[in-house]
């Protein structure tokens, strides 16, 4: 199946990296999805505030883990928002909103993709 926000080939590659253990890959995906809301909340909390260290850490973590799962669009968006927030000294609301939409879409697709991984 084709997805708009994730690269299934990257998920297959991750499974191979985990010694062909699909259940380990599914656990990683489930942990990522579980952490999404907390990461997104850390970013949203920093909107229009000048204490943004926690949001910056969440954005870096999100960028790295998203890339590992083949969610390059979300990874790129997190890196871009990180750079913008560092420059401005605050997280712009429009960037946080855009990130939230992308992140929710990625999580929806990952939930669907885990069904195929479980069946493998």
């Amino acid at each position: 199946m084709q997805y708009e926000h994730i690269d299934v080939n990257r998920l297959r590659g991750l499974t191979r990296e985990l010694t062909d253990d699909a259940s380990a890959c599914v656990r990683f995906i489930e942990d990522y999805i579980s952490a999404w809301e907390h990461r997104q909340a850390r970013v949203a909390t920093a909107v229009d505030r000048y204490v943004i260290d926690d949001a910056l850490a969440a954005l870096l973590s999100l960028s790295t883990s998203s890339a590992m799962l083949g969610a390059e669009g979300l990874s790129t968006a997190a890196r871009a928002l990180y750079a913008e927030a560092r420059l401005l000294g605050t997280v712009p609301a429009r960037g946080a909103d855009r990130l939230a939409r992308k992140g929710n879409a990625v999580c929806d697709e990952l939930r669907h993709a885990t069904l195929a991984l479980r069946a493998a």
Side-chain angles (χ1 to χ4, degrees), residues 60-81:
L60 286 177
S61 174
L62 181 62
S63 177
T64 302
S65 58
S66 296
M68 291 175 69
L69 290 174
E72 285 300 326
L74 181 56
S75 178
T76 300
R79 276 194 315 273
L81 186 54

Side-chain angles (χ1 to χ4, degrees), residues 52 56 80-90:
I52 62 169
L56 293 175
L81 186 54
Y82 174 90
E84 185 176 16
R86 281 193 49 129
L87 182 68
L88 297 173
T90 187

Side-chain angles (χ1 to χ4, degrees), residues 17-85:
E17 290 171 26
L18 296 170
T19 62
D20 287 323
D21 185 354
S23 64
C25 186
V26 168
R27 280 191 307 276
F28 185 83
I29 293 168
E30 288 172 343
D31 289 347
Y32 175 93
I33 292 169
S34 294
W36 160 244
E37 293 218 10
H38 180 66
R39 287 175 175 152
Q40 190 273 329
R42 290 166 63 192
V43 172
T45 299
V47 169
D48 296 330
R49 296 202 174 135
Y50 291 99
V51 180
I52 62 169
D53 292 341
D54 192 47
L56 293 175
L59 288 166
L60 286 177
S61 174
L62 181 62
S63 177
T64 302
S65 58
S66 296
M68 291 175 69
L69 290 174
E72 285 300 326
L74 181 56
S75 178
T76 300
R79 276 194 315 273
L81 186 54
Y82 174 90
E84 185 176 16

